[in-house]
Amino acid sequence: SYELTQPPSVSVSPGQTARITCSGDALPKKYAYWYQQKSGQAPVLVIYEDSKRPSGIPERFSGSSSGTMATLTISGAQVEDEADYYCYSTDSSGNHKVFGGGTKLTVL
Amino acid sequence: QVQLVQSGAEVKKPGASVKVSCKASGYTFTSYDINWVRQATGQGLEWMGWMNPNSGNTGYAQKFQGRVTMTRNTSISTAYMELSSLRSEDTAVYYCARAYCSGGSCYPGYWGQGTLVTVSS
């Protein structure tokens, strides 16, 4: 079955840039999406279609994709950005969706 | 506004089945796919499958094939996810999530509040 691979954890100091990667064989042809999940809450979309930001999401969140890797970048990370982040995409057929394993972002 | 309200927490014994409901409001129920996603305590998100409420067509993750059934009742704008042959590893929060579609691509955009299913003898 198709898999998306993320690093388990990323740690930065406040104001630094955090980068979270997501690798998958179908990413050259399929969009990546990024969700933020804070403890006890439902996920919230922060990036869609590789690099688009939904309304209400701060400009410090950005996304990119190149080859088999998608990247979520948080420029000037804030303490309130501490959360788990998940990438989401589909396999090459488009019928089967998958989440990455998640990355715990620590900002301190 | 779009709302998805799920049924309450469940406690089941191993081997039993559970059926979680997801009542939609604020939009035309048959116009958008419903996805089901689960999350075990302290673990990541796991996509289980999708259902088209208009046609009833479904697609399930390979891991759940043969154990999961997704259905709907369009008259009450409600989607259901039934998981059978429960085992302790199925203890998790189960979410329904309505697709949000933009530019030809769709993704889980609106989420229910989650339903905790506990499997314990």
Side-chain angles (χ1 to χ4, degrees):
Chain A
S1 60
Y2 185 53
E3 293 184 356
L4 296 173
T5 302
Q6 299 180 233
S9 62
V10 168
S11 182
V12 297
S13 299
Q16 288 189 326
T17 296
R19 292 183 179 85
I20 299 172
T21 59
C22 172
S23 64
D25 289 342
L27 288 178
K29 297 182 179 179
K30 298 297 182 184
Y31 286 126
Y33 303 81
W34 291 93
Y35 291 87
Q36 176 194 69
Q37 187 182 35
K38 296 185 177 179
S39 183
Q41 299 180 19
V44 172
L45 185 79
V46 293
I47 293 290
Y48 67 102
E49 293 179 0
D50 292 343
S51 60
K52 298 177 181 178
R53 193 174 55 248
S55 61
I57 300 301
E59 290 185 7
R60 62 181 180 271
F61 288 87
S62 63
S64 62
S65 187
S66 178
T68 59
M69 184 170 289
T71 302
L72 171 69
T73 301
I74 308 172
S75 304
Q78 305 296 308
V79 172
E80 61 262 32
D81 298 331
E82 273 204 353
D84 295 321
Y85 290 85
Y86 296 90
C87 60
Y88 168 87
S89 188
T90 73
D91 67 0
S92 55
S93 74
N95 291 324
H96 296 280
K97 328 296 185 181
V98 65
F99 287 94
T103 299
K104 182 175 183 59
L105 175 65
T106 301
V107 183
L108 57 75
Chain B
Q1 72 283 20
V2 175
Q3 273 197 312
L4 299 171
V5 178
Q6 300 183 221
S7 48
E10 303 260 15
V11 179
K12 296 292 183 180
K13 294 193 182 303
S17 297
V18 68
K19 191 170 186 177
V20 179
S21 68
C22 171
K23 183 169 177 59
S25 62
Y27 72 99
T28 301
F29 176 65
T30 51
S31 294
Y32 299 93
D33 290 353
I34 293 286
N35 293 269
W36 289 89
V37 177
R38 78 176 186 180
Q39 185 171 37
T41 302
Q43 302 299 309
L45 301 172
E46 185 172 31
W47 181 78
M48 299 180 68
W50 62 270
M51 181 193 65
N52 181 308
N54 185 46
S55 64
N57 289 345
T58 56
Y60 303 140
Q62 188 173 3
K63 174 177 180 177
F64 299 102
Q65 290 271 3
R67 273 211 309 146
V68 70
T69 305
M70 296 176 188
T71 58
R72 87 288 192 213
N73 183 334
T74 56
S75 67
I76 56 172
S77 300
T78 300
Y80 303 93
M81 186 284 299
E82 184 170 21
L83 189 63
S84 62
S85 302
L86 291 169
R87 35 206 187 233
S88 59
E89 309 90 87
D90 294 318
T91 295
V93 174
Y94 289 76
Y95 293 100
C96 62
R98 197 211 87 172
Y100 183 92
C101 297
S102 167
S105 69
C106 299
Y107 50 89
Y110 299 95
W111 294 69
Q113 83 276 19
T115 296
L116 175 62
V117 175
T118 302
V119 183
S120 174
S121 54

